[in-house]
Amino acid sequence: MALSIIQIFRDYVTNGIPSSGNHKPAKSEIRSWGAWVESIISSFLSNGGLVYTSRAALFADLAHAANSSAWVIGDATAAYNGVYMKAGASGTGSWSRVADLPYSFVQLVDAGAGTANAIQLTSTIPTSQSVLRVANVFEPNAGNVTISENGGTARPLLTNSGNQISAGGLLANMMIVYVDDGVSFRLLSDQVSAAIVAAAEGFANAAASSASDAADSAAAAAASAAGVDLPPIAPDRMLVDNAAGTVRESKTFSEVNDLLEKSTWAFDNNTLYKSRSNKDRWLDSYRLAEELQFTGGGATATDAAVLQGLFLRARATGGEIILPRGDIKLEAPVILYNFANKKVRIRGQGDGATRFLNSSAGQQWFQIGQAGGGRTSDILLEGFSCAPSVSMSDAGSVFYMRNTTDVTFRDIVVSAVRNGWSMGVGAGATNDVIYTSIEGCGGTSSGTSGVAIIRLGSGGILQIGGNSHRWNANGGHTFMEHDNTTYNWDGLYVYGQFFEHFGKYLYSHGKGIVNMEWTGGQMDRATIFVQAQPDAGVSGDNVNWNIHDTQLLGFGTVGQGDYGLLTAHGTGNVNNLRFVDNIVKGLTNRAVFTTSGDGVKVHGNQFVNCGNSGTSVLQLDQPPANGVVSVTGNDIYLGNNAAGSNYTYGIDWIGSTSARRKSFGNNVVAGSSGAENGTA
């Protein structure tokens, strides 16, 4: 078989290295290759070869026997041109491409449709990787060259040895011969030598100039170094100026670290860390103020998008986003999804220093987690406040949480908001939001609201602790509410919080809160301090509540201290409630009121000036079949500054005597109608 065209017109090689010259092919090799091509064409034509101008026309003609051959030439898609073979009997089967068209070379024309450096060539015969190309050049090039054949993708045109074409390497009206190496086009002829010589001279002059400059620099460096006296080189050491600034000393890394920690140096103020240690950083830090599109000041509608993008970067490996001082206006929710178990902290400069603002009444400020997909975890938000620039509606929420675990809020204040935290509201399964911590946070509300500051849906294990900030309302706002009628909340723990003048502090009227502890701190004024009362038709269970060692303080005025603990059944259960060792003072109505006979233990409390509008202090109904009610060791009395009339009874039992309710050891003082009414 004859040699291929690429072998015949191979590179010129000197001592094994391709050079810029051309290999001179032997005429015998060219004659042998041409005879081989002619034999293929003759064989094709003698066997009744078929020619089509498009692959589509070929594929539409199946009326040929198996192994028939055909050419496609002229298809607009260059890769479709070629030699095809028929598979299957006449009228059935298919055509498949088996080879390039057997042209030895193709002549292409540069008519000037392109540019000097982006040549566009056309030909009447389609090209393929196996053909030799011959083309004219319309105008001289000014730099690197590309060629596009018959409207195809442009490829670089390189020299024979694989380098870029020099400026002026192609001249107008010159002829070039080139091949397709699969990635680029390679010249078999070569570029004009004058361009190569000019480029070489330029490089030589530059090298000479650099050598002269280098010699001068070396002499200057030697002169400068002559006066330098440095300690000898040693592994893992650093050079540090001495205290007098007269000499440099060699120090170990440990010694340098000690010097830094003893000095007054600090991280940049934006890091929030001062001079305690250079190991104080929690994770890699990202500064919102340094982002190019961040504006700050709440003046434009871009800050949510910038913070969103920064969060996506931080969550990839875990990191800390440091917020600047000032207002940050959110034009849209900032969506915090974190499925990769990488810890992310978003930290501001503190309450009143960093503040987020909304842009619309029903806006979600931060959307943490999402209803579907993976569960979001390991996010810490701290050190900022949130205040609406547009008055919120009941649909708005500062922190809207769905499908989350291990999310912490620390040192955050929500001011003049309706719903600060929405947890698992609208969820379609149990345990939607779990393991949430609200530490050292606070909130204020000056108006009325149809939703609570903290709204509970499906989930559990919420801890609220720390007293860096207080919770303050104006009588028209519920602090915490569970209203989901399908899923309960399992695990609520409130420690040492100080509240002032909410309408209600805890109101559970949905499926129920199971396992609740509320201890320490103070609740100051409320219409109903704690209410466990599933709505009618809801089979809710408010079970295992423990309210102890806290103060419930009223002002002896209706609306500023009416009921303490109020329980009632829907169609579910309200039982196993402990109301123990509390101080309850100044309530106009009943301190404990169980209207449907729940399993309740009231023990060791002090009830002072309660029932002062003429009601009993405690009123308890029959327990359920599996519950008990016991009232033991309580002090019920009027203080020195009684408000209104005396209470009627200290303890008022509803219904007949039951073995499941007990009363003993209570110290009931005064009362207009007596210490106890009815029999336990």
Side-chain angles (χ1 to χ4, degrees):
M1 180 177 175
L3 293 176
S4 68
I5 193 66
I6 293 177
Q7 289 176 299
I8 295 172
F9 290 95
R10 58 190 176 271
D11 293 340
Y12 180 80
V13 178
T14 303
N15 296 326
I17 302 174
S19 73
S20 60
N22 297 324
H23 170 73
K24 296 180 180 180
K27 291 183 179 180
S28 60
E29 293 177 347
I30 297 174
R31 285 194 297 270
S32 176
W33 178 79
W36 172 68
V37 172
E38 289 171 353
S39 69
I40 292 175
I41 296 173
S42 176
S43 175
F44 173 74
L45 296 175
S46 65
N47 283 284
L50 306 169
V51 178
Y52 296 83
T53 58
S54 71
R55 190 181 72 168
L58 170 65
F59 282 6
D61 184 5
L62 298 177
H64 301 280
N67 298 322
S68 296
S69 62
W71 287 11
V72 174
I73 180 170
D75 197 296
T77 302
Y80 291 171
N81 296 302
V83 179
Y84 287 76
M85 178 181 290
K86 175 69 166 44
S90 178
T92 63
S94 61
W95 294 93
S96 60
R97 191 179 187 280
V98 296
D100 293 334
L101 293 171
Y103 291 105
S104 57
F105 67 90
V106 174
Q107 182 172 2
L108 298 104
V109 176
D110 179 4
T115 65
N117 296 334
I119 299 173
Q120 296 183 16
L121 302 178
T122 58
S123 64
T124 57
I125 300 173
T127 61
S128 66
Q129 189 174 352
S130 60
V131 303
L132 184 70
R133 281 99 158 146
V134 179
N136 68 300
V137 176
F138 184 78
E139 56 186 326
N141 73 304
N144 298 344
V145 178
T146 63
I147 286 180
S148 169
E149 297 179 342
N150 297 316
T153 302
R155 294 186 183 181
L157 177 64
L158 305 178
T159 66
N160 191 294
S161 53
N163 297 313
Q164 296 287 351
I165 306 294
S166 300
L170 302 182
L171 300 180
N173 300 318
M174 74 180 289
M175 299 296 293
I176 58 174
V177 180
Y178 66 97
V179 295
D180 180 357
D181 68 4
V183 178
S184 58
F185 296 125
R186 297 279 290 273
L187 287 171
L188 296 180
S189 59
D190 220 325
Q191 57 181 319
V192 177
S193 60
I196 302 172
V197 172
E201 290 175 346
F203 292 140
N205 291 335
S209 177
S210 296
S212 175
D213 291 344
D216 293 342
S217 297
S224 177
V228 176
D229 183 15
L230 295 176
I233 296 174
D236 298 328
R237 301 179 76 88
M238 300 176 68
L239 294 180
V240 179
D241 291 352
N242 66 357
T246 57
V247 68
R248 290 194 171 99
E249 302 172 339
S250 178
K251 300 284 187 182
T252 65
F253 292 157
S254 177
E255 290 170 335
V256 172
N257 187 69
D258 289 342
L259 287 172
L260 291 173
E261 292 189 353
K262 291 175 182 177
S263 70
T264 57
W265 80 290
F267 287 109
D268 184 284
N269 285 338
N270 278 340
T271 66
L272 305 178
Y273 300 118
K274 296 303 181 183
S275 58
R276 290 196 312 251
S277 166
N278 62 349
K279 297 180 180 179
D280 274 348
R281 289 178 185 263
W282 188 62
L283 292 169
D284 292 337
S285 295
Y286 302 84
R287 293 173 178 82
L288 180 61
E290 295 176 358
E291 298 303 299
L292 293 179
Q293 301 302 317
F294 177 72
T295 58
T300 66
T302 62
D303 289 347
V306 176
L307 179 54
Q308 177 73 68
L310 192 58
F311 173 79
L312 296 178
R313 284 160 47 194
R315 79 175 184 182
T317 57
E320 177 185 52
I321 298 174
I322 298 171
L323 305 172
R325 292 180 177 273
D327 289 346
I328 303 172
K329 190 169 187 178
L330 303 177
E331 76 281 3
V334 179
I335 300 173
L336 308 180
Y337 298 162
N338 187 24
F339 313 140
N341 296 321
K342 302 295 185 182
K343 295 183 182 297
V344 178
R345 170 189 282 177
I346 301 176
R347 179 162 186 175
Q349 308 289 311
D351 170 40
T354 300
R355 186 174 67 158
F356 284 102
L357 310 173
N358 68 341
S359 296
S360 61
Q363 178 179 342
Q364 295 173 7
W365 303 23
F366 294 91
Q367 183 177 329
I368 306 174
Q370 61 180 349
R375 186 181 287 272
T376 286
S377 65
D378 297 309
I379 296 179
L380 169 61
L381 300 101
E382 66 176 319
F384 57 84
S385 58
C386 300
S389 60
V390 177
S391 295
M392 294 177 67
S393 68
D394 287 351
S397 180
V398 178
F399 302 107
Y400 181 83
M401 302 175 64
R402 287 295 308 273
N403 197 19
T404 65
T405 182
D406 295 302
V407 176
T408 298
F409 302 89
R410 182 182 299 156
D411 189 27
I412 290 175
V413 175
V414 292
S415 301
V417 303
R418 292 192 174 212
N419 180 222
W421 286 265
S422 176
M423 301 184 182
V425 174
T430 59
N431 296 327
D432 188 70
V433 171
I434 57 176
Y435 298 110
T436 306
S437 181
I438 299 177
E439 304 172 1
C441 297
T444 63
S445 174
S446 58
T448 59
S449 173
V451 292
I453 284 186
I454 299 177
R455 187 179 177 194
L456 305 179
S458 168
I461 316 299
L462 167 62
Q463 300 181 74
I464 303 175
N467 56 5
S468 300
H469 306 280
R470 65 176 179 172
W471 305 91
N472 193 320
N474 195 34
H477 206 151
T478 297
F479 173 67
M480 185 158 25
E481 180 176 9
H482 178 263
D483 58 1
N484 190 313
T485 60
T486 304
Y487 302 104
N488 68 3
W489 189 273
D490 187 356
L492 170 63
Y493 309 98
V494 181
Y495 306 114
Q497 298 300 285
F498 292 85
F499 302 93
E500 186 170 1
H501 205 186
F502 280 82
K504 298 177 183 179
Y505 292 100
L506 178 60
Y507 181 27
S508 178
H509 58 100
K511 187 69 174 176
I513 296 175
V514 179
N515 303 321
M516 185 277 285
E517 181 173 24
W518 193 301
T519 183
Q522 174 179 303
M523 291 176 275
D524 188 345
R525 288 175 290 174
T527 303
I528 301 173
F529 285 83
V530 177
Q531 183 174 356
Q533 184 174 343
D535 289 335
V538 177
S539 57
D541 295 309
N542 287 307
V543 179
N544 299 340
W545 288 24
N546 188 14
I547 304 167
H548 65 97
D549 296 290
T550 189
Q551 296 187 77
L552 290 72
L553 306 179
F555 276 27
T557 303
V558 174
Q560 297 192 21
D562 296 345
Y563 292 90
L565 172 63
L566 172 63
T567 68
H569 286 305
T571 52
N573 297 310
V574 181
N575 54 36
N576 297 341
L577 273 66
R578 298 177 73 251
F579 193 80
V580 177
D581 295 330
N582 301 295
I583 296 175
V584 186
K585 185 176 180 180
L587 304 190
T588 63
N589 214 307
R590 297 169 178 85
V592 175
F593 188 15
T594 63
T595 63
S596 299
D598 308 287
V600 176
K601 180 179 181 64
V602 181
H603 173 77
N605 302 284
Q606 288 183 306
F607 298 102
V608 186
N609 294 342
C610 296
N612 56 43
S613 62
T615 66
S616 60
V617 176
L618 309 179
Q619 182 172 336
L620 303 106
D621 206 339
Q622 296 279 34
N626 59 347
V628 297
V629 175
S630 62
V631 180
T632 60
N634 299 284
D635 292 326
I636 303 173
Y637 61 97
L638 296 172
N640 294 329
N641 299 308
S645 62
N646 294 345
Y647 54 83
T648 55
Y649 296 102
I651 306 170
D652 188 8
W653 295 98
I654 302 174
S656 59
T657 302
S658 171
R660 288 183 172 271
R661 64 187 192 185
K662 299 294 181 183
S663 173
F664 59 85
N666 298 293
N667 181 18
V668 182
V669 180
S672 61
S673 300
E676 193 166 349
N677 181 47
T679 305

